[in-house]
Each structure stands twice: as structure tokens, then as C-alpha cells.
């Protein structure tokens, strides 16, 4: 308990490595492996930050010839980010397998003795890269359930959102930040470029209970479900601001600081929603719940949505608790019109 209190007292400006080390005791399995994994992801994040910052200078912007498993054209930086993250996790030795948005199946790292698996969106919002808008990496970490010494299995990745042992994101923006949780609150670390090090900059992050911003692609308004349309009408009546970057990490991050809600419903173009449960929705839902926010698909908390495929999609509503609760009332009344 004393160590925990000491760790909580770490001041703004503490280096990420030191912070991770001091918080190791909070993990159920305080073996240092999870700490090493977080350091590996942070290292890959620093490398990616460098690539993104000079994207305009070298020939890595624009579309590659390849398509990812969802049929989308991959950006060159998508490919680069994917390679960097997988390499860092492979070399680090703690992850026995990785799933990413860019690869169809499980990637086995060869570390059969590793106790963890990692799911990633290596470069979320990458269509924004050509125009210097913020993008991010999202990660989610599970302790494997398959026997150590064997290859990881699908089961390791399909444990459900509540089984995550850590989750986070790196936002590559006007400054770059690493934000993560291991289930004991959410902290943010800002990258000091000249030192090449992340330092604690925001302790115990919390969504404001109620916000006045909503983030959604209103170009799809005519295709939105009735509940979403009426929620948005309500936002407009209250003169809430519409702020949509089109990079989930950046929109989520802004809403966590300013108070707001992000909405990506199912529409005919994306009948199950656009966002992926395993490496986009679960990890940000874990962070949201740890930061006094809420995440749902309109039916149940995102972390409780059962998963049976690694690239499964879902509708996603995440943000300030009272805003998400207001939205859920619309779903409730739509199902119980006699009560409306
Ligand atoms: P991506 O992982 O292929 O980048 O797709 C996810 C992104 C989110 O970052 C963003 O919020 C959303 O897709 C934007 O979609 P749209 O262009 O349909 O508004
Ligand atoms: Mg992506």
C-alpha cells in the first residue's frame, strides 16, 4: 500500500520509464513483463512520431498499392506503422502474438514463452496524414489463456473487453502523447522531442461529466438511425459545438479534455458500424471507463459486447458520462415508445 501511495505521488515531469517501474506493483502479475511491453510500445511510438513528423519530406505519404483486410487502400505510413509496432513487440520478447488492423490473421512473434498478446490499430485516422492532421496508435493488451510455450490462439484475443490488462493510445499531434491505463486510472505522458522521452504531463485524467461538443460524420446524417438523429437535433437545440477531426484518437482525446461525445453508428454503408471492437473500441472504452466516461453500442457497455472475430465491428458512442446517458435514453424510448 505504501508503494502504491508513493507511486501515486509521482509528480508531473516524471519520465515514463520511471513511472511504469513505480506502478509495476499495481499489476496482478507484477513480473515486469507488462512494463516491458509498455516500454516497447512507447519506443515504437517514438520512432513513428519521427516518421510522421517528416512524412512530407520523404516519400512515405499517399496511398500504397496494397489493400488491408477490409478492402481499404493502405497508406504507406499504415504499412510503416504496422511494421514498426510488430518489430518492437517481437524484439521486446513479452508478446507471443499480435493482431493488427492491417493483417488478416494472428501474427506469431516466435516468443512462445511470452505471456501477453497485443491488439493494435497501428495508425488510426491515417487518411489524415497527407494533410498534417493528428493521427494515433491504439493498443490493447491481454494476458494469454493458451499454455505458455505454445503458439497463441484466437482464444487469447477473444477474451472480451473486461479482460484487458492494459490499453492506451499514442496521439501524434501538435505535441505527441502516450495515454494509458492498467485499470488504475488514466495518465498522459507528453513526448519531449529533443530528449526523445515521454514525461508525465496529465495525472488521473477524467472526462467532464457533461460536455458541449459532439463528434460525428454528419455527412451520413440521412442514413443515421432515428435515435441518433433525434440526439443530434437535441445537441443542435442546445447549440453544442460540432467538432469532428475524423481521427478517432484525436476526437476521443479532445472530448476527454473538453467534454464531449463521439458517435459512429451503423449505417447502410457500414451495417455493423465502421470501427473495430478489438483494437479501436475496447481499448478506448477501457480508458473511458477509467476516466469517468462511458462507451456503448446503444445496447450494452462496449466492454461487455461479446467478440467472436478479431476484425469484428460495432456501432460506437463514447465520451462524457451524462452525454452518453442522454443518448441511451433515446435508445430506451425508441424501444419503449409508450414511455416517450
Ligand atoms: P481507420 O482505422 O482506417 O483510420 O478508420 C477509423 C477512422 C477513425 O479514426 C475515424 O473516426 C473514422 O474512421 C472516420 O471515418 P469517416 O471518414 O467515415 O468519418
Ligand atoms: Mg487505421
Amino acid at each position: 500500500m505504501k508503494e502504491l501511495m508513493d507511486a501515486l505521488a509521482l509528480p508531473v515531469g516524471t519520465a515514463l520509464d520511471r513511472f511504469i517501474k513505480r506502478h509495476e506493483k499495481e499489476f496482478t502479475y507484477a513480473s515486469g513483463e507488462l512494463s516491458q511491453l509498455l516500454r516497447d510500445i512507447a519506443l515504437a511510438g517514438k520512432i513513428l512520431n519521427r516518421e510522421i513528423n517528416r512524412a512530407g519530406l520523404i516519400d512515405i505519404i499517399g496511398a500504397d498499392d496494397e489493400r488491408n483486410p477490409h478492402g481499404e487502400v493502405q497508406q504507406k505510413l499504415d504499412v510503416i506503422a504496422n511494421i514498426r509496432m510488430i518489430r518492437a513487440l517481437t524484439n521486446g520478447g513479452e508478446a507471443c502474438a499480435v493482431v493488427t488492423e492491417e493483417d488478416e490473421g494472428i501474427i506469431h512473434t516466435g516468443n512462445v514463452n511470452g505471456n501477453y498478446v497485443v491488439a493494435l490499430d497501428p495508425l488510426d485516422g491515417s487518411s489524415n496524414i497527407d494533410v498534417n492532421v493528428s493521427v494515433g496508435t491504439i493498443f490493447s493488451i491481454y494476458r494469454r489463456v493458451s499454455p505458455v510455450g505454445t503458439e497463441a490462439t484466437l482464444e487469447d484475443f477473444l477474451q472480451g473487453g473486461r479482460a484487458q490488462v492494459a490499453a492506451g493510445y499514442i496521439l501524434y499531434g501538435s505535441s505527441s502523447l502516450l495515454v494509458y491505463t492498467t485499470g488504475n486510472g488514466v495518465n498522459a505522458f507528453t513526448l519531449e522531442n529533443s530528449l526523445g522521452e515521454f514525461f508525465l504531463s496529465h495525472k488521473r485524467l477524467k472526462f467532464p461529466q457533461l460536455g458541449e461538443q459532439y463528434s460525428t460524420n454528419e455527412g451520413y446524417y440521412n442514413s443515421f438511425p432515428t435515435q441518433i438523429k433525434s440526439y443530434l437535433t437535441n445537441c443542435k437545440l442546445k447549440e453544442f459545438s460540432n467538432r469532428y477531426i475524423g481521427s478517432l484518437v484525436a476526437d476521443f482525446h479532445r472530448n476527454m479534455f473538453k467534454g464531449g461525445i463521439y458517435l459512429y453508428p451503423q449505417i447502410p454503408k457500414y451495417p455493423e458500424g465502421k470501427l473495430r471492437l478489438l483494437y479501436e473500441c475496447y481499448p478506448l472504452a477501457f480508458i473511458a471507463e477509467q476516466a469517468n466516461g462511458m462507451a456503448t453500442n446503444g445496447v450494452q457497455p462496449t466492454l461487455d459486447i461479446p467478440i467472436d472475430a478479431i476484425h469484428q465491428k460495432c456501432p460506437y458512442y463514447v465520451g462524457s458520462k451524462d452525454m452518453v446517458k442522454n443518448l441511451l435514453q433515446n435508445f430506451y424510448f425508441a424501444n419503449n415508445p409508450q414511455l416517450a
Side-chain angles (χ1 to χ4, degrees):
M1 190 62 185
K2 174 157 185 328
E3 286 87 344
L4 182 59
M5 294 313 289
D6 286 346
L8 290 178
L10 282 174
V12 162
T14 303
L16 175 66
D17 268 7
R18 185 172 158 77
F19 184 94
I20 290 174
K21 185 83 196 138
R22 288 282 290 274
H23 277 250
E24 231 164 52
K25 304 254 175 346
E26 291 176 16
F27 310 149
T28 315
Y29 307 95
S31 60
E33 297 163 25
L34 184 56
S35 299
Q36 184 56 42
L37 261 183
L38 290 168
R39 284 192 212 104
D40 295 339
I41 291 169
L43 172 64
K46 285 187 227 173
I47 296 170
L48 273 183
N49 179 66
R50 188 194 59 192
E51 306 284 0
I52 289 164
N53 281 335
R54 58 183 194 165
L57 298 176
I58 51 175
D59 184 27
I60 51 177
I61 57 171
D64 197 357
D65 296 336
E66 298 292 315
R67 286 180 179 266
N68 73 10
H70 318 286
E72 299 155 341
V73 174
Q74 286 179 300
Q75 301 296 311
K76 288 183 187 174
L77 257 174
D78 275 349
V79 179
I80 292 169
N82 199 32
I83 293 169
R84 291 291 186 193
M85 283 288 160
I86 294 169
R87 191 181 295 163
L89 292 167
T90 302
N91 293 343
E94 314 298 351
C96 57
V98 182
V99 157
T100 89
E101 182 184 319
E102 305 302 332
D103 291 287
E104 188 79 55
I106 297 175
I107 298 153
H108 297 282
T109 59
N111 307 320
V112 289
N113 291 321
N115 276 311
Y116 293 90
V117 298
V118 181
L120 288 168
D121 183 351
L123 202 62
D124 179 67
S126 56
S127 63
N128 277 323
I129 198 76
D130 291 4
V131 288
N132 275 43
V133 172
S134 302
V135 288
T137 295
I138 311 176
F139 61 91
S140 167
I141 303 176
Y142 295 85
R143 197 166 165 91
R144 72 186 297 176
V145 287
S146 58
V148 175
T150 64
E151 278 206 334
T153 63
L154 265 182
E155 220 193 334
D156 294 318
F157 288 95
L158 304 181
Q159 299 182 48
R162 302 258 172 227
Q164 294 175 97
V165 293
Y169 60 84
I170 304 169
L171 173 65
Y172 311 99
S174 47
S175 59
S176 294
L177 287 100
L178 186 152
V179 178
Y180 81 92
T181 184
T182 53
N184 285 293
V186 179
N187 294 289
F189 300 80
T190 301
L191 181 62
E192 213 293 323
N193 274 308
S194 60
L195 297 173
E197 187 63 76
F198 286 102
F199 292 97
L200 179 60
S201 50
H202 305 82
K203 290 168 75 168
R204 303 251 143 209
L205 282 168
K206 297 270 179 239
F207 275 87
Q209 186 78 11
L210 183 61
E212 298 192 345
Q213 300 190 359
Y214 65 98
S215 319
T216 194
N217 186 343
E218 279 199 293
Y220 294 126
Y221 183 86
N222 289 335
S223 302
F224 281 171
T226 323
Q227 300 95 312
I228 304 302
K229 283 182 176 165
S230 78
Y231 180 75
L232 293 178
T233 303
N234 215 3
C235 288
K236 289 177 212 291
L237 285 172
K238 292 179 180 158
E239 298 194 333
F240 286 174
S241 295
N242 180 9
R243 294 279 181 274
Y244 189 63
I245 297 169
S247 279
L248 172 62
V249 171
D251 281 309
F252 177 93
H253 187 77
R254 190 204 48 249
N255 289 339
M256 183 159 64
F257 277 75
K258 304 275 190 195
I261 184 170
Y262 173 97
L263 309 98
Y264 211 115
Q266 70 277 37
I267 53 177
K269 184 174 173 187
Y270 303 115
E272 286 142 19
K274 179 182 182 190
L275 300 174
R276 296 74 168 188
L277 188 52
L278 183 63
Y279 41 79
E280 292 177 324
C281 303
Y282 273 164
L284 295 187
F286 188 15
I287 292 179
E289 286 201 4
Q290 285 291 316
N292 189 43
M294 252 178 107
T296 177
N297 61 357
V299 177
Q300 61 194 140
T302 302
L303 291 179
D304 292 328
I305 301 173
I307 184 164
D308 51 31
I310 54 178
H311 296 296
Q312 186 171 321
K313 296 174 180 180
C314 64
Y316 200 38
Y317 312 107
V318 61
S320 290
K321 204 178 258 178
D322 284 356
M323 295 184 93
V324 178
K325 281 186 182 165
N326 284 344
L327 172 72
L328 285 174
Q329 282 181 349
N330 285 4
F331 281 90
Y332 180 73
F333 290 132
N335 292 330
N336 302 280
Q338 75 284 4
L339 300 175

